[in-house]
């Protein structure tokens, strides 16, 4: 493709769908992405969310990798303060041993859920403060230079699984720059600091053994369909579901109640959160995506194909790739 594209699969569980059906959809999306020349597919660690099936990224990656052949797969990301660096190194070292040259590891410091779930996961509320140190400890395990005397990750030692720092603020940008790691910005749902964070990262980047020049990945939502109306209708359903999940936390809303929610301050907030989105026909989406890349100053875009139905997501992935000169591999 003329523009480097990857996929962020949020592993949606649609109403009436099981987790198993959602995961089958994730396999189909990865296979579609592989056919059309996307670089990678990433899965995000979220917890206690009835609409998302990616709470265990390493397990999901292993399953999808077994049903694909060449595309890179990874976490976008693992929320590192929820885990010990050694455990993550062993998990992703195992994946790298099973699927050499295909595994990525994006690292974030957010909890991936609400306050109660954060307690259930971390117990120690200060865990996020150790994020920079934990990234360096994890990196050392993969380099075969453990910072913990007498402890190695097996598998994982010397695996050099590529690391990416994920973020939506200047903190992550500064850390990625200081460590000489690629930086992925979560503009698909938190776009406020996009330009400032990317500019800081590029300005302060220090070359490392892993990376000799800055590499920015920016997230963007896409709904590509055969008609503008179809795409907009699908994206409106996504926005409404996003607002309900953000505000409702398990509550059931009537359609009239969702209408009121969308016209409230919370609805306006959702609209701002999802402002980095390309919606329409292939030609319309191509123009919007290219403009977003220029705005983001990104080397690569990672696309959340946001239609809630699996077939619509597959169609969106194919149409976007074809619009950017991609063609399915036989």
């Amino acid at each position: 493709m003329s523009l480097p594209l990857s996929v962020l699969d949020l592993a949606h569980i649609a109403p009436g769908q099981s987790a198993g059906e959602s995961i089958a959809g994730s396999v189909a999306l990865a296979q579609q992405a592989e056919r059309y020349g996307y670089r990678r597919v990433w899965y995000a660690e979220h917890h206690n969310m009835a609409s998302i099936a990616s709470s265990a990224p390493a397990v999901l990656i292993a399953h999808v990798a077994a049903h694909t052949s060449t595309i890179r797969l990874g976490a976008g990301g693992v929320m590192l303060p929820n885990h010990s660096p050694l455990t993550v190194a062993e998990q992703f070292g195992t994946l790298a041993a099973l699927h050499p040259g295909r595994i990525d590891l994006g690292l974030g410091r957010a909890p991936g859920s609400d306050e109660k779930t954060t307690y259930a996961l971390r117990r120690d509320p200060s865990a996020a403060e150790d994020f920079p140190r934990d990234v360096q400890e994890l990196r050392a395990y993969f380099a075969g230079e453990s910072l913990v005397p007498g402890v190695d990750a097996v598998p994982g030692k010397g695996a050099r699984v590529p690391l990416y720092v994920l973020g939506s603020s200047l903190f992550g940008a500064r850390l990625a720059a200081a460590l000489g790691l690629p930086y992925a910005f979560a503009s698909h749902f938190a776009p406020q600091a996009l330009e400032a964070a990317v500019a800081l990262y590029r300005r302060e980047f220090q070359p490392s053994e892993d990376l000799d020049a800055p590499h920015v990945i920016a997230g963007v939502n896409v709904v590509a369909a055969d008609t503008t109306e179809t795409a907009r209708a699908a994206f409106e359903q996504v926005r409404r579901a996003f607002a309900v999940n953000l505000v409702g936390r398990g509550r059931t809303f009537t359609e009239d109640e969702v209408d009121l929610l969308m016209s409230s301050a919370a609805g306006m907030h959702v609209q701002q959160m999802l402002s980095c989105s390309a919606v329409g026909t292939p030609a319309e989406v191509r123009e919007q995506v290219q403009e977003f890349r220029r705005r983001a100053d990104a080397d690569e875009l990672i696309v959340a194909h946001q239609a809630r139905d699996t077939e619509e997501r597959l169609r969106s992935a194919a149409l976007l790739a074809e619009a950017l000169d991609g063609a399915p591999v036989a």
Side-chain angles (χ1 to χ4, degrees):
M1 286 182 280
S2 58
L3 172 61
L5 290 182
S6 295
V7 171
L8 176 63
D9 182 359
L10 301 175
H12 290 294
I13 304 175
Q17 188 180 50
S18 69
E21 289 168 333
S22 169
I23 291 169
S26 289
V27 170
L29 181 57
Q31 291 170 337
Q32 180 87 306
E34 185 171 79
R35 284 196 299 271
Y36 276 90
Y38 286 83
R39 286 191 171 186
R40 64 188 99 240
V41 181
W42 281 359
Y43 306 93
E45 178 186 343
H46 291 288
H47 298 279
N48 194 29
M49 295 186 181
S51 60
I52 295 179
S54 55
S55 57
V59 180
L60 183 55
I61 290 165
H63 178 68
V64 176
H67 290 82
T68 52
S69 302
T70 58
I71 195 166
R72 298 191 68 88
L73 301 166
V78 162
M79 301 298 107
L80 189 53
N82 294 344
H83 315 275
S84 75
L86 177 60
T87 297
V88 176
E90 291 171 339
Q91 290 175 350
F92 280 79
T94 300
L95 287 170
L98 292 170
H99 306 283
R102 295 183 60 199
I103 303 301
D104 299 329
L105 176 51
L107 302 169
R109 67 181 182 122
S113 193
D114 56 34
E115 186 175 338
K116 290 181 179 179
T117 310
T118 300
Y119 169 76
L121 286 164
R122 297 181 176 177
R123 304 302 172 105
D124 181 0
S126 66
E129 297 175 10
D130 294 330
F131 181 67
R133 184 179 66 190
D134 287 348
V135 172
Q136 294 183 76
E137 183 179 328
L138 176 58
R139 188 184 199 180
Y141 284 129
F142 286 139
E145 300 168 355
S146 174
L147 300 180
V148 183
V151 176
D152 287 315
V154 183
K157 181 178 181 180
R160 293 198 174 275
V161 173
L163 299 182
Y164 298 75
V165 174
L166 277 57
S168 58
S169 69
L170 302 186
F171 178 91
R174 185 167 283 116
L175 179 63
L179 296 180
L181 292 173
Y183 180 52
F185 192 91
S187 37
H188 63 291
F189 77 95
Q192 296 90 332
L194 172 61
E195 291 93 335
V198 171
L200 184 152
Y201 169 71
R202 291 194 181 279
R203 183 173 63 250
E204 297 189 4
F205 180 84
Q206 299 295 314
S208 69
E209 290 185 11
D210 299 302
L211 193 65
D212 60 4
H215 186 84
V216 173
I217 302 175
V220 60
N221 303 296
V222 170
V223 180
D226 294 298
T227 68
T228 304
E229 294 72 21
T230 300
R232 288 177 178 172
F235 188 58
E236 180 60 18
Q237 288 303 309
V238 168
R239 291 202 313 123
R240 291 167 72 89
F242 194 98
V244 169
N245 289 334
L246 187 68
V247 174
R249 281 292 172 188
R251 288 174 53 199
T252 300
F253 290 77
T254 67
E255 288 302 307
D256 288 343
E257 288 172 333
V258 179
D259 289 340
L260 290 173
L261 176 60
M262 296 307 295
S263 63
S264 70
M268 297 301 103
H269 179 56
V270 167
Q271 186 171 341
Q272 191 278 329
M273 291 176 71
L274 300 179
S275 60
C276 292
S277 300
V279 180
T281 64
E284 291 167 336
V285 166
R286 178 180 64 241
E287 183 177 348
Q288 294 168 46
V289 163
Q290 290 172 335
E291 175 55 34
F292 172 74
R293 185 196 185 182
R294 288 189 288 270
R295 172 191 160 197
D297 190 20
D299 301 291
E300 176 182 344
L301 299 183
I302 188 160
V303 177
H305 288 283
Q306 282 285 17
R308 302 192 76 199
D309 177 80
T310 297
E311 292 305 315
E312 290 178 341
R313 284 199 296 277
L314 295 176
R315 182 67 175 154
S316 181
L319 290 176
L320 177 61
E322 290 169 357
L324 292 166
D325 306 321
V329 177

